[in-house]
Amino acid sequence: MGQLSLTDNERKVLLTVMSYPEHSDTDLSRAVDMNIYTFNKVKNSLISRGLIRKTAVPNYSLTGFELMVFTYGTDMDSFLDPFNRRDLISGFESKIPARFIFKIMEMHQGLAIHAVEDFTGLKRGLKLKRDLINELGIEIGSMTHVKFSFRDSTIKRFFDMLPMLREEFGSGFDIPKMDPKNPAQESASISWEEFFSDVGERSFDDMDGLNRDVLIRTVSEPDESDQKTATELGVSRYKIRKAKEELFTEGFLKTSYVPDIKGFGFEVVLFTHMIFKNDDPIHRYFSSMEEGFIPAMFHLVYDGLEGCGMGLFHKLSDASWAYHNLQDRMKNMNAIEKNPHLQLFSVSNSLTEYPFDFAQPLINRGSWELDREYLEMVKTRP
């Protein structure tokens, strides 16, 4: 597909709304010296073309999830033809209590990131996976699970493509500085590391039923109007607005725009998993890469001894260069416990559709039951 070409107005609107997702169109249009009609037209075009999607990201720490778990697999058995395999993968997502927040899967390899309640929940999830593959009589190859604490790890990037889009489209345009004026804008302006490390005064379990329902609905349907949410939940619009204000003020939600990976011409995802010998080099390593490779990383998390990251590239040749560059840098530092794990994924060949789903863990929280009727249908399928 190749790199996307944008007009000057599209570049301005894209970078401004992604930098300030909770500011009004009126404020943003003034900041970039564009009349409101033109600003709205350009923004609506970006949205209707599927290039950007407004979303509300939950603070998983506060909503009952301790762990961010990376699961990557290789040598996965191609147990079905491509068409049936795609259908089954789509079905799995709705028929098992998964907790994916990101996934990309090809015929013989896969990568997923989950939000999991705790270590007990992780064990139950692994048992559910074993039960599933035993029921279907399939082999899924070698799988590795890497665990990070949402609260205590350094979450440098959380599916944040703004830095790389600035590199790509920001030439000649200075993004205006805007100060937050309300709780939602304040929440959207803080870093991902600050957001997830906020312990807050309340947890998901402390909420009343309405605030829980509003939180899940806001994450599931971020574009839904307050009036529609009020109608669906059977309460007044005032109560919905009050509940949302509390959720943003208390750090339960952060507004963000998630661009479409394929729409912007990114064809390759580079995944890396690193284990360091001690906790000092990992900070020096990422600091040294900040100006070079890090802008290509859209998801990056590490703790004292371990780190995982994902980068996006337009061409396989660029991803391959980064792949070998990463290997060389880490070997030269003599700080890696063993050779880093690196994997390249093709965006076009992924069997999953839209890779992000921030609501799924909330919807399936506490549920660990397989859909028996669905499994029987799969097993009898030719």
Side-chain angles (χ1 to χ4, degrees), residues 205-240:
D205 293 331
D206 298 326
M207 288 185 189
D208 60 34
L210 177 61
N211 277 30
R212 290 189 189 188
D213 291 342
V214 171
L215 187 150
I216 294 173
R217 193 156 191 100
T218 301
V219 178
S220 304
E221 307 289 343
D223 294 324
E224 187 174 80
S225 68
D226 291 347
Q227 184 58 60
K228 177 69 181 300
T229 304
T231 301
E232 293 293 327
L233 298 182
V235 297
S236 68
R237 187 172 62 175
Y238 168 78
K239 287 188 175 181
I240 298 299

Side-chain angles (χ1 to χ4, degrees), residues 90-107:
S90 299
F92 288 165
E93 294 174 15
S94 60
K95 299 297 183 179
I96 67 172
R99 286 150 173 80
F100 296 118
I101 53 181
F102 175 87
K103 55 192 175 300
I104 184 168
M105 184 174 290
E106 297 182 66
M107 289 297 291

Side-chain angles (χ1 to χ4, degrees), residues 295-333:
M297 305 292 282
F298 74 109
H299 191 78
L300 181 61
V301 56
Y302 51 90
D303 57 18
L305 297 174
E306 207 161 6
C308 284
M310 293 189 294
L312 288 174
F313 300 89
H314 290 291
K315 296 183 294 185
L316 179 60
S317 58
D318 293 338
S320 297
W321 175 87
Y323 181 106
H324 294 294
N325 188 35
L326 266 174
Q327 282 187 321
D328 292 343
R329 281 182 181 237
M330 288 187 277
K331 287 178 181 178
N332 291 338
M333 286 184 68

Side-chain angles (χ1 to χ4, degrees), residues 4 38 74 230 268 349:
L4 183 70
T38 302
T74 56
V268 183
N349 292 336

Side-chain angles (χ1 to χ4, degrees), residues 47-303:
I47 293 172
S48 65
R49 287 151 61 192
L51 293 177
I52 57 174
R53 178 176 175 178
K54 191 174 184 178
T55 188
V57 178
N59 185 326
Y60 290 106
S61 294
L62 297 183
T63 50
F65 297 89
E66 292 182 13
L67 302 175
M68 180 193 303
V69 181
F70 289 75
T71 298
Y72 58 87
T74 56
D75 304 318
M76 297 170 68
D77 180 31
S78 179
F79 61 95
L80 291 167
D81 66 79
F83 298 104
N84 280 343
R85 187 173 172 87
R86 185 185 295 274
D87 289 345
L88 284 181
I89 288 173
S90 299
F92 288 165
E93 294 174 15
S94 60
K95 299 297 183 179
I96 67 172
R99 286 150 173 80
F100 296 118
I101 53 181
F102 175 87
K103 55 192 175 300
I104 184 168
M105 184 174 290
E106 297 182 66
M107 289 297 291
H108 299 284
Q109 64 174 354
L111 169 66
I113 303 176
H114 318 260
V116 182
E117 289 89 328
D118 49 30
F119 282 97
T120 300
L122 178 60
K123 289 180 180 179
R124 296 181 72 175
L126 294 176
K127 181 180 184 302
L128 183 146
K129 181 199 74 174
R130 290 194 299 271
D131 291 345
L132 182 63
I133 62 177
N134 288 337
E135 288 273 3
L136 298 180
I138 60 175
E139 296 292 334
I140 57 174
S142 172
M143 298 187 74
T144 301
H145 307 280
V146 188
K147 302 169 285 294
F148 296 94
S149 164
F150 271 109
R151 183 168 295 175
D152 299 324
S153 300
T154 298
I155 302 177
K156 183 80 172 181
R157 301 271 169 80
F158 189 80
F159 307 108
D160 182 6
M161 288 172 59
L162 180 58
M164 69 183 70
L165 294 180
R166 280 176 175 165
E167 289 273 317
E168 195 162 308
F169 299 112
S171 177
F173 171 61
D174 294 326
I175 299 173
K177 175 67 176 176
M178 302 188 70
D179 295 323
K181 299 177 181 177
N182 60 49
Q185 292 175 4
E186 184 73 41
S187 172
S189 69
I190 66 174
S191 70
W192 290 109
E193 184 178 354
E194 292 174 303
F195 178 64
F196 285 115
S197 63
D198 181 11
V199 297
E201 296 182 1
R202 289 201 301 165
S203 69
F204 191 75
D205 293 331
D206 298 326
M207 288 185 189
D208 60 34
L210 177 61
N211 277 30
R212 290 189 189 188
D213 291 342
V214 171
L215 187 150
I216 294 173
R217 193 156 191 100
T218 301
V219 178
S220 304
E221 307 289 343
D223 294 324
E224 187 174 80
S225 68
D226 291 347
Q227 184 58 60
K228 177 69 181 300
T229 304
T231 301
E232 293 293 327
L233 298 182
V235 297
S236 68
R237 187 172 62 175
Y238 168 78
K239 287 188 175 181
I240 298 299
R241 294 179 66 179
K242 186 174 183 293
K244 284 187 176 180
E245 183 176 341
E246 289 178 1
L247 292 170
F248 283 107
T249 302
E250 296 177 11
F252 283 94
L253 292 174
K254 175 179 167 66
T255 304
S256 180
Y257 273 98
V258 179
D260 177 54
I261 291 174
K262 188 182 294 186
F264 277 91
F266 293 104
E267 286 293 335
V268 183
V269 174
L270 168 61
F271 169 71
T272 179
H273 171 213
M274 302 154 285
I275 301 176
F276 286 73
K277 293 179 179 178
N278 58 66
D279 61 1
D280 175 56
I282 192 166
H283 297 286
R284 290 192 291 110
Y285 170 71
F286 286 118
S287 296
S288 70
M289 294 177 65
E290 190 70 40
E291 296 302 320
F293 185 73
I294 293 295
M297 305 292 282
F298 74 109
H299 191 78
L300 181 61
V301 56
Y302 51 90
D303 57 18

